[in-house]
Amino acid sequence: MNFLIVIITFFTMEGLTWCIHKYVMHGFMWFLHRDHHDHSNEGHIECNDYFFLIFAIPTIVLMYFGTINGFNEYFYVALGITLYGMSYFFVHDIFIHQRFKILRNTQNPYLLAIRRAHKQHHKHTGKEHGECFGFLWVPVKYFKMFFKKDKK
């Protein structure tokens, strides 16, 4: 049962991420997310990185209460959120944005479609008129864009 909680939480996070990205990060908290789109911040740290801390706090609270209560369901929900956060960091920050210069030359169609979808998202430098707010779920049109580009 605990494994199922972790898996359901992980996949639920994709939907929550889409909503939070579209309505919070591109909404009333745009002031923190803007530098991720317009690159106005110099250096390796962006204001956008505060979201890491903001999103970590409820997870830490859930993990704490789950642990002191005998590793109940709160702990496993927090574990699912943590695993999603780790995948977000590895795919978004390392693979897509190349904060660490590794995984540059993959030929995996899924990973390249994720990269294409995210580039389409960043094509819009303002908070309005964005597209592809999700993360691990890649709509089919981005696979088509990737393969169409590949044939040229």
Side-chain angles (χ1 to χ4, degrees):
M1 181 64 179
N2 297 333
F3 178 73
L4 192 59
I5 292 172
V6 172
I7 296 298
I8 289 171
T9 302
F10 183 90
F11 286 105
T12 300
M13 286 303 298
E14 179 68 11
L16 288 173
T17 297
W18 187 93
C19 290
I20 291 167
H21 190 184
K22 183 171 176 79
Y23 297 111
V24 175
M25 297 169 84
H26 280 253
F28 67 95
M29 297 200 72
W30 174 250
F31 67 97
L32 286 179
H33 189 57
R34 182 182 58 226
D35 69 345
H36 185 63
H37 280 265
D38 67 12
H39 306 287
S40 61
N41 193 19
E42 294 182 16
H44 295 291
I45 304 295
E46 301 172 338
C47 289
N48 185 62
D49 293 333
Y50 284 112
F51 285 111
F52 172 78
L53 295 174
I54 292 168
F55 299 145
I57 290 170
T59 308
I60 292 168
V61 170
L62 282 171
M63 196 163 279
Y64 172 75
F65 284 108
T67 302
I68 65 170
N69 290 303
F71 293 95
N72 67 10
E73 63 275 359
Y74 292 162
F75 175 82
Y76 293 100
V77 167
L79 189 59
I81 295 170
T82 300
L83 291 172
Y84 186 84
M86 289 172 63
S87 68
Y88 192 94
F89 174 76
F90 286 115
V91 174
H92 180 263
D93 291 304
I94 294 177
F95 175 69
I96 294 173
H97 288 289
Q98 291 288 303
R99 284 184 152 188
F100 303 100
K101 305 296 181 200
I102 58 173
L103 302 174
R104 291 177 141 176
N105 300 317
T106 185
Q107 295 302 314
N108 181 292
Y110 172 71
L111 292 175
L112 293 173
I114 284 178
R115 184 181 279 162
R116 168 55 52 203
H118 203 75
K119 283 185 177 189
Q120 287 300 117
H121 176 75
H122 277 273
K123 192 169 87 177
H124 307 280
T125 56
K127 74 184 240 185
E128 306 292 337
H129 311 295
E131 64 181 286
C132 198
F133 291 94
F135 176 56
L136 296 175
W137 172 258
V138 181
V140 173
K141 74 178 189 179
Y142 299 108
F143 282 100
K144 289 179 180 174
M145 290 173 81
F146 166 72
F147 286 114
K148 189 175 179 181
K149 179 195 80 118
D150 212 30
K151 288 182 180 177
K152 291 181 180 177

